[in-house]
Amino acid sequence: MHMAPIVLQQPTALPQELPPRRSLHVAIISDGNGRWATSRGLPRSAGHRAGAQTARRIIAAAPGLGIHTLTLFALSSANWKRPPAEVAGILRLLHEYLLTETSNCMAEGVRLSIIGRRDRMPSTLRDAVADAEAATANGTRLHLRLAIDYSAREAIFHAACRFYKVTKLSSDTFGDVLSEVLRGGSTDVDLLIRTGGEQRLSDFLLWECAFAEFVFLTKRWPDFTAADLESAVQEYGHRERTRGALPDAIAG
Ligand code: IPE
Ligand code: MG
C-alpha cells in the first residue's frame, strides 16, 4: 500500500520567542506593593498581601522558564525605617507564607533558603525559617531564596571581616565566604528585574549582580504576572552578554 509521505510543515518564523535553554539565576526587587494598595484606597498591608500572591504565581512559573534560582527581595534591612506595624505585618505574612507553602515546596521540588539577618526577626519566625529550610533541603527543581532583613553591603562587610582567616585569597574564595555568611549561597545573578518604576539596586545582591542584565518595569509587584516574567526572560535572551569581552560578531 502506498503511503503518502508525511510533509513536515516548515516553520514560518524562527522560534525566537523560546526562553534560553541554560538555567538562570533571576533576582527580583518586588517593589510597588504600597502604591498598588494606596491607588485602590486600600491599606498598604493589602498591597503586601497581594504581593505575596504574586510571589506564589511567579515561583510556580519559574522552573518552566529555565530558572534554577530565584531570589526575591521580601524585606530589606532598610525597611526597619518604616512604621513598626508595617514591618511586623510583613514579617507575619512571611511567617504565614512559610507555614502554608513548605509542603507545596516539598511536593514541587523547591528548595527554600532565607538570606539576610536572622537575629532581629521574632524567634517564632526564626524557627519556622529553620524548619522550612530543613524540610525542603532536597529540592532540586528550583532554589527559592527569600531575602529577609537583607542588606548586600552588610553581607559583604561581614564576609570581609571573616576573610582574614582564609589562606587562599581570591575572588572565588571571597564568594565562598559570602555564601557562608548568607547561608543560602551567593551565585551570580543573570537577570535582575525590578517592578514599581524605580531604577536602582537598593542594596540588593551587589556582589552577585556584577554582570547581571537589568529589566526595569513600571508595573507594580501585585500586577506582575508569569507572562511578564516570561517577557523579561525573553528580553534577557536577546541581549548579548560579553562580560567585558568583544561581541561574537566583532571578535570573529
Ligand atoms: C515592596 O513594596 C515590598 C517591600 C519593600 C516589603 P513597597 O512597600 O516598597 O511599596 P511602595 O514602593 O511603597 O509602593
Ligand atoms: Mg518601595
Side-chain angles (χ1 to χ4, degrees):
M1 194 176 74
H2 178 72
M3 298 279 285
I6 298 166
V7 180
L8 292 176
Q9 288 285 317
Q10 289 297 319
T12 48
L14 287 172
Q16 284 172 342
E17 297 310 316
L18 285 178
R21 291 224 166 269
R22 57 174 296 247
S23 56
L24 299 175
H25 179 185
V26 174
I28 306 183
I29 302 177
S30 47
D31 197 14
N33 291 349
R35 282 164 285 162
W36 180 90
T38 308
S39 69
R40 285 165 174 72
L42 298 168
R44 290 178 60 84
S45 58
H48 296 312
R49 195 158 279 284
Q53 280 305 109
T54 299
R56 285 185 175 90
R57 291 195 297 271
I58 295 311
I59 292 159
L65 296 172
I67 298 169
H68 72 80
T69 303
L70 179 66
T71 308
L72 298 179
F73 207 175
L75 185 73
S76 161
S77 294
N79 291 145
W80 289 109
K81 292 179 202 147
R82 294 189 180 191
E86 179 168 345
V87 178
I90 293 169
L91 290 172
R92 259 199 315 278
L93 253 181
L94 286 164
H95 195 157
E96 225 176 79
Y97 179 85
L98 294 177
L99 296 181
T100 57
E101 294 303 310
T102 298
S103 57
N104 201 18
C105 286
M106 288 164 74
E108 297 294 325
V110 176
R111 174 181 158 212
L112 195 142
S113 303
I114 303 300
I115 59 169
R117 283 178 67 159
R118 301 180 187 214
D119 57 313
R120 295 192 286 197
M121 58 174 70
S123 62
T124 47
L125 175 56
R126 197 157 47 240
D127 292 345
V129 163
D131 290 348
E133 287 179 330
T136 62
N138 294 327
T140 54
R141 222 168 127 246
L142 175 71
H143 188 190
L144 170 63
R145 308 191 318 154
L146 297 180
I148 303 178
D149 196 358
Y150 173 84
S151 153
R153 203 177 254 194
E154 192 171 305
I156 292 169
F157 171 72
H158 281 292
C161 292
R162 280 197 200 178
F163 197 49
Y164 74 95
K165 292 188 198 151
V166 175
T167 46
K168 191 172 168 294
L169 301 182
S170 74
S171 165
D172 283 348
T173 53
F174 185 80
D176 293 342
V177 176
L178 183 60
S179 177
E180 262 172 51
V181 167
L182 291 172
R183 299 207 216 175
S186 74
T187 56
D188 272 14
V189 172
D190 297 300
L191 169 63
L192 183 287
I193 300 169
R194 180 170 188 146
T195 60
E198 312 296 347
Q199 302 194 356
R200 54 178 172 254
L201 206 40
S202 298
D203 201 10
F204 191 43
L205 303 172
L206 300 180
W207 176 269
E208 296 87 338
C209 279
F211 291 101
E213 294 293 332
F214 287 20
V215 169
F216 296 109
L217 299 171
T218 50
K219 243 186 197 189
R220 291 155 183 172
W221 177 243
D223 291 328
F224 186 78
T225 64
D228 293 323
L229 178 62
E230 187 172 3
S231 303
V233 168
Q234 278 165 2
E235 155 83 31
Y236 168 85
H238 291 133
R239 294 198 190 165
E240 186 154 31
R241 298 183 83 200
T242 62
R243 289 180 168 249
L246 291 179
D248 289 343
I250 298 173

